[in-house]
Amino acid sequence: MLNHAAVDRVFHALGDPTRRLILERLSRGPASVSALAKPLDITLAAVVQHLQVLEQSGIVRTEKIGRVRSCHVRPDGLRVAERWIAERRAIWERRFDRLGEILGEPQHGSPTGRKNKS
Amino acid sequence: MLNHAAVDRVFHALGDPTRRLILERLSRGPASVSALAKPLDITLAAVVQHLQVLEQSGIVRTEKIGRVRSCHVRPDGLRVAERWIAERRAIWERRFDRLGEILGEPQHGSPTGRKNKS
């Protein structure tokens, strides 16, 4: 069972386009707050706020080395969102297949790799 | 390559807790607008607005049958979000593994099922 608050935090974090751009930048490697701010053309304060949301959701971690705060992605941080989506899609596809059976229609090949006996 | 606008629409849609509650309700089967509004304790107008966002993102479809608008989930609608997350996580885990190699640390077993030769 997924933790409801964790699901809320991660989807809130991913729901903002600027935060997703920060994640794209961090996909190429760790970066400082000012390096993140530059291409986004937003204030350092705004970047810090976005980073706080990303940290609280567990997708990013930051560490202060000397006077510079370095930001990194956490690969496991996306797992909550991944599971929530996969669980919903599994439920929806089961419903969809059952509906097909009820209507007597042939089943489509599934993108999740389920095999149909033919 | 994922369509940037489609990624924006789907994460915007999933970023709101009320819209995720609507999806949970629709996971149990199609529902009318008023049936969706009742447990959420929000106005019909608010539900309609949320449904518009969900429809534009491709996660929900609605159809008017007589005087009732019936709402359904679309299993394929989550695929954009699923792919965006899976792609990011794959990139991040590769980076993480390479870092481990550089540091000479043993690799962790991966949750995505990659096999480590030991």
Side-chain angles (χ1 to χ4, degrees):
Chain A
M1 195 64 185
L2 285 167
N3 177 311
H4 196 76
V7 172
D8 274 355
R9 279 193 299 269
V10 79
F11 278 111
H12 171 61
L14 294 176
D16 182 274
T18 304
R19 285 195 286 272
R20 288 199 310 281
L21 281 175
I22 290 174
L23 294 179
E24 301 282 6
R25 168 59 192 85
L26 294 178
S27 293
R28 301 203 302 273
S32 68
V33 177
S34 52
L36 289 172
K38 212 170 178 185
L40 295 172
D41 202 21
I42 55 175
T43 64
L44 288 180
V47 174
V48 168
Q49 278 192 333
H50 283 307
L51 284 170
Q52 278 169 352
V53 175
L54 288 166
E55 266 197 292
Q56 280 157 10
S57 73
I59 309 178
V60 162
R61 67 181 174 84
T62 72
E63 54 180 340
K64 206 155 187 182
I65 304 169
R67 289 168 59 188
V68 176
R69 183 166 292 281
S70 177
C71 310
H72 312 248
V73 288
R74 299 181 57 196
D76 285 354
L78 291 176
R79 206 171 299 169
V80 169
E82 214 164 14
R83 270 189 57 193
W84 188 90
I85 291 175
E87 284 177 13
R88 296 305 154 291
R89 206 150 80 93
I91 295 166
W92 300 358
E93 283 180 348
R94 272 201 303 275
R95 285 190 52 80
F96 198 70
D97 285 355
R98 276 209 310 272
L99 192 65
E101 277 166 29
I102 291 164
L103 297 173
E105 288 172 358
Q107 298 300 296
H108 305 294
S110 157
T112 52
R114 275 171 296 133
K115 289 184 186 75
N116 295 317
K117 284 174 189 162
S118 54
Chain B
M1 194 67 184
L2 285 167
N3 177 310
H4 195 76
V7 172
D8 274 356
R9 279 194 298 270
V10 78
F11 278 112
H12 171 62
L14 293 177
D16 183 274
T18 303
R19 285 196 284 273
R20 289 200 309 281
L21 281 175
I22 290 175
L23 293 179
E24 301 282 6
R25 169 59 191 84
L26 294 178
S27 293
R28 303 202 302 273
S32 67
V33 177
S34 53
L36 288 173
K38 211 170 178 183
L40 296 172
D41 203 20
I42 56 176
T43 63
L44 288 180
V47 174
V48 167
Q49 279 192 332
H50 284 307
L51 284 170
Q52 278 170 352
V53 174
L54 288 166
E55 266 196 293
Q56 280 157 10
S57 73
I59 309 177
V60 162
R61 67 181 174 85
T62 71
E63 56 180 338
K64 207 153 184 182
I65 303 169
R67 288 168 60 187
V68 176
R69 182 165 293 280
S70 176
C71 311
H72 312 248
V73 287
R74 298 181 58 195
D76 285 354
L78 291 175
R79 205 170 299 169
V80 169
E82 213 165 14
R83 270 189 57 194
W84 187 90
I85 292 175
E87 285 177 13
R88 298 303 153 294
R89 206 150 80 92
I91 295 166
W92 301 358
E93 284 179 348
R94 273 201 302 275
R95 286 190 52 81
F96 197 71
D97 285 354
R98 278 209 309 273
L99 191 66
E101 279 165 28
I102 291 164
L103 297 174
E105 288 171 359
Q107 297 300 294
H108 304 292
S110 157
T112 54
R114 275 172 293 133
K115 288 184 185 75
N116 296 317
K117 284 174 187 161
S118 56

